[in-house]
């Protein structure tokens, strides 16, 4: 699941998930917790699915939500080769 549909209306999120399931994909609706939001009623709904991104994007456009893409994490870089001794500021 690389992308997800975000909806502010629970009914829209559930309708989008039902359409994905009817299309043969797995889909689940979860509450999306936004940083800094104190009121639980203001949190949007996220639809997570194994459907191709383009299918989810079409539903997002239809139900007036937005498509959120999770950034892909690349391989970790090797550790830096740092000096072990102190650095001299002046030459002798």
């Amino acid at each position: 699941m690389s992308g997800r549909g975000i909806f502010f209306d629970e009914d829209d999120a559930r309708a989008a998930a039902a359409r994905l399931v009817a299309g043969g994909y797995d889909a689940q609706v979860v509450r999306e917790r936004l940083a800094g939001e104190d009121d639980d009623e203001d949190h949007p709904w996220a639809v997570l699915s194994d459907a191709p991104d383009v299918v989810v994007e079409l539903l997002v456009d239809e139900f007036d939500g937005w498509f959120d893409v999770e950034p892909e994490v690349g391989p970790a870089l090797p550790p830096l080769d740092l000096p072990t001794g102190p650095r001299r500021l002046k030459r002798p």
Side-chain angles (χ1 to χ4, degrees):
M1 294 183 202
S2 60
R4 58 191 175 174
I6 307 294
F7 304 90
F8 277 105
D9 186 34
E10 181 182 8
D11 293 336
D12 290 344
R14 297 212 179 275
R19 294 263 298 273
L20 290 169
V21 169
Y25 302 107
D26 289 331
Q28 65 181 25
V29 177
V30 296
R31 203 68 191 255
E32 183 71 17
R33 304 284 181 205
L34 297 177
E37 280 292 330
D38 294 335
D39 188 6
D40 283 343
E41 294 302 315
D42 288 339
H43 292 296
W45 296 87
V47 176
L48 309 175
S49 177
D50 62 347
D53 288 347
V54 69
V55 173
V56 178
E57 282 185 88
L58 290 172
L59 287 172
V60 163
D61 287 342
E62 181 179 337
F63 289 103
D64 212 18
W66 79 88
F67 184 71
D68 187 33
V69 178
E70 295 177 14
E72 294 196 20
V73 179
L77 298 175
L80 296 175
D81 184 25
L82 300 175
T84 56
R87 182 176 168 193
R88 295 182 184 239
L89 297 178
K90 298 181 182 179
R91 295 183 184 182

